[in-house]
Amino acid sequence: MVHTRTLLAGLVLLLLMSSASSAALIDGGEVHNDSRVLAWYDLGDGGVLTVDAGGAIVEHLWNLGLLQKVNQIDANVSVNAVRFDAAAGLIALGHDDGAVVLSVTSGEVVRDIQTVDPVEHLDWDDGGDLWLVHNGGVRQAVEYGPTGPSGARTTVMSGGVATFLVLDDGRILTAGFDGTVLIHADDGTQEDQLSGLGAAVKSLVEDGLDLWIGLSNGGVHRFSTVTWQGLSVSSSTTPVTSLSLDGDSGVFVGHQNGQVKHVDASLSIVQSFQATGSVIAVTVNEDGSLHLISTTSSSTRVRLFDVDSDGDGIADAQDAFPTNADQTSDRDGDGYGDNADAADGDAFPDDPTQWADRDGDGYGDDLEGTMPDAFPDDANQWVDADGDGVGDNTEDPDGDVFPEDPTQWADDDRDGYGDNPAGYRPDDCPGSNGFSTNDRLGCTDRDLDGWSDPDDGWTVTDGADAFPNERTQWADSDGDGYGDAQDGVRPDACPTVPGASIQALVPVIEEVTTYAAEAMFGCPDEDGDGWADASEVGDGMAQDPNEHLDQDGDGVGQRSDYNDSNALVRTVEDHCRLAFNDVRDICLGIRSVEYQDYLSTLNESERSRMTFSYWNATVANGPGAGGVDMNLVKQVAMLAGLVFVAMTAAILTVSAASRRRSSTAAETQKSFVGFGDSDSISEEALTGHAGLSARGGVEDDALWGDDPMESEEDAMNASEGQIEPSPAQPDSMEPEQPPEAERGALAMDNDPSPVTDAPPTTTTDVSVQEGNERASAPPVPESGLPEGWTMEQWEHYGHQWLAKQAEN
C-alpha cells in the first residue's frame, strides 16, 4: 500500500536544499484565508488538496504566491476522519454511518461501507483493505475487504482510540487516550505495546523506520519501528495537533495554540514559528520556504515563512526582486518594479506591455504595447483611431469629433455631421444644429421624422417635410394636405389625385346591400360633403352635398327619400297613394279629394291649422258638408281606431322586447328584406316602422359620428333606430278620443311632410325627415298646455282639443 507517508517521502528532494531550509526564515505573512477545512494535503507539484467537514474535496493550485481553486468534488457527508492515498488517487472519508472512498480524478464513489457505529479514524493496509476505527461500541479497529468485514479486529481499547495508523509493513497501531499505543499484526493480533507516554496520543506519523508520536501535553516521542526503542522531547506545553516531516529525518510539530517547532533528527528544537489557530499541517517548499496551515473555528489560514536575501523585509518567495531592496513586487511580470518612484519603476504596474510614460498622460510610450500613446509628448492627446492626425480626445479643443472617420474631424454645430463637405456624410446645414437624415443631413427637423423642415433654399418640392409638425407624415404627392404614408396620421387614400374626402361608404361583406362608413382621406369629393365620390351610391349623389346614398335608384338620396328601398316611393304622398291600408290622418287627407279641394281654397296660414281630422269633424260633417254621411264616417273611423289600438299594443310589446335584446349590441345596423306576400305596409306605418320590410341600408359606424353633413338631430334620431309609440291621451280627453286612423294631421301646404308616425328612413346615418309632424302641430294656447298633457300628446291631439273647445 502507498498512502500519505509515501507522498511525504517525496520531500526527500528537499535534501538538496537542506542548507537553505536550515537558514533563518522570516514571517512572510498570511498568503491565504478561506473557510475551515479538516485536512490539508500538499500534492508536491504546486497543488493542494483540502477536505472540509461537509465532504467538499477541493483541489487548489499555487499561482504567483496565491492559492486558486481548480476543481471540487462533493461527497455530501459529515466527515469525521480523512485519509488520502496520493499514489492511487483515492480519498477515504469516515462519517457517522460508515465510510466512503472516492476517486479524486473522476469524482466517482469507489467504495461505500455502511456501519452501525460512527467511524472515528481510518487507514489502508498494504493489501488495499480499509481499517475503520469505532469508539462507539467496540472501541477497536475493524478490517473491511471489498465485500465487507474480513473478520480481522484489533484489541479493544477500553479508554477509546485517540488516533490510528497502518505502518508501511502492514502492522496496525491504535493509540489511546490513556497514553498507550497497541501494536498489532496485519490480521489484528496484538504483538506489542508502548505505554507510559504520559498523555493522550494526538498524532502518529511514520518516517522510514521511525515512528513520531505527538501527545496532548505537548511532548514528542520518536521510536524505532524495529526495536521500539525511543527518545522524547518537550516541544511545548499545549497539545500537539500535527506532525509534518521535514525531509531530513526531522519533524515540524504543530500545536493547538498556533506554535510550530522544528525538531531535527537529534530531537533538538532548531526553529520556532507562530501561526493563528490550531496547526494542522506544515508544508516544506522546494525553495526552503514553509507554509504553516492552521484553522480557527471558522477559517483556514496559510502563513508563509521564507528567507529575505536583500533585507527589505519581504521574504524571497514574495519578493519579485529578491536582490533589489527598492523593488519588491512586479504585479504584471514585465520586469519593472511596482515602485514607480524608484529605479526600474513601472508606470503601468498592471500592464505587462507598458512601463514608461514621458508626458504623464497615462498612456504608455511603447507603440507595440496596449493603449500606446500616439502623441507621447502631448499630454492632451494619446490616440488617433482613424489615423487622420487629429487626436481623439474631444476635451481638447483641437480634438477629433469623428475619431473613427478619417474624412471628418470637425463639427461646429455639434449635430453629429462633419463640416468637411468632401468627407463622409457631410453636414448640409453646418451652421444649424439639426438631426434630419433622409432628404438632407443635419438640418432642422422639428417632428424628428428624419425629413428636414422646408426653408428658403429647400422646399417641399426639393424633398423637404410637407408636414413638419407631424412625425408620421412627410410627403404629399398630390398636394391635398393628406400624407402619402399609409400607416401615418390621416393617410391619403388617393395619393396621386388631390381630394378633400374624409370618409367613404363600404359594402358590408356579410350583409346584402348594407354599407358602413370608413375613413378615406384625400380622394375626390366634388360636392364637398366629405364622402369620397367613388364610394357614393346612386346617380347624382356625388354632386349632391346633402346626399351620398340612393339605394333604390330613384334619384332621391336617403336623407330626403321617404322610403329609400322602394323606387316608387319618394315622398309621404307617394307612400299614402300606394298604401291604401294606411288609415292615418295624413294618408286619409292625402287620398281625400274633398279635403284637398277644400285646402286649395285656404291661404297658407289657414292650411297650416286645418288638419284632416279637424276638417272632418268641423267642416265635412258640419252644415254644408255636401251630403256626406259623417256619422257613418265616424263609425268606420271608430272601428278602424279600435283595430289600430289592438294592433299597436301587440306590435309595441314585441318592439319593446326587441329593443331590450338589441340594446347590448356593439354596433347598430339596419338590414332590410324585400316585400313579402303577407307584409303589410300599413301595419309598418301605423307602428312607426314604415319601410322595415324593404331590403338595404347603411350600417352606422360609431367612428363616423362627425359626418360633416349630418346634423346633431340627424345623428340622434339615427341612433334611436325607430320612433317610440305615442303616449295615451289624458283622462279628460278619453270620451272624445278619435279613432287611431284619425291621429295626426297633414300640414296644409303643397308639399306635405311625413309626420312622426311616418316610417323612418331606411338608413341609420340619416333617420329624421325634413319637415316632420311637429311642423303641423297646432299652436299652444296662451294659457299653456291643458292640465296633464305633454307636448308629444299636444302634437298628436291638439287639433281635436281645439275643435272640442270650439264646439263648446
Side-chain angles (χ1 to χ4, degrees), residues 170-184:
R171 285 179 292 174
I172 315 299
L173 304 182
T174 57
F177 292 99
D178 59 0
T180 300
V181 177
L182 301 183
I183 304 164
H184 307 82

Side-chain angles (χ1 to χ4, degrees), residues 584 684-689 723 726 743 755-759 773 796:
R584 294 176 301 158
E684 294 175 354
L686 289 173
T687 57
H689 294 76
I723 300 175
S726 301
R743 295 182 183 176
V755 296
T756 305
D757 287 338
E773 187 184 10
H796 287 282

Side-chain angles (χ1 to χ4, degrees), residues 373-430:
D373 195 341
F375 307 89
D377 298 308
D378 182 354
N380 294 321
Q381 294 292 345
W382 46 87
V383 65
D384 180 15
D386 54 15
D388 57 6
V390 182
D392 297 347
N393 179 19
T394 56
E395 299 297 327
D396 183 353
D398 297 325
D400 194 341
V401 181
F402 303 92
E404 297 180 357
D405 182 356
T407 70
Q408 296 287 359
W409 47 86
D411 179 17
D412 289 342
D413 58 11
R414 295 293 175 176
D415 58 5
Y417 298 96
D419 297 341
N420 180 15
Y424 174 70
R425 292 169 63 83
D427 196 335
D428 290 309
C429 302

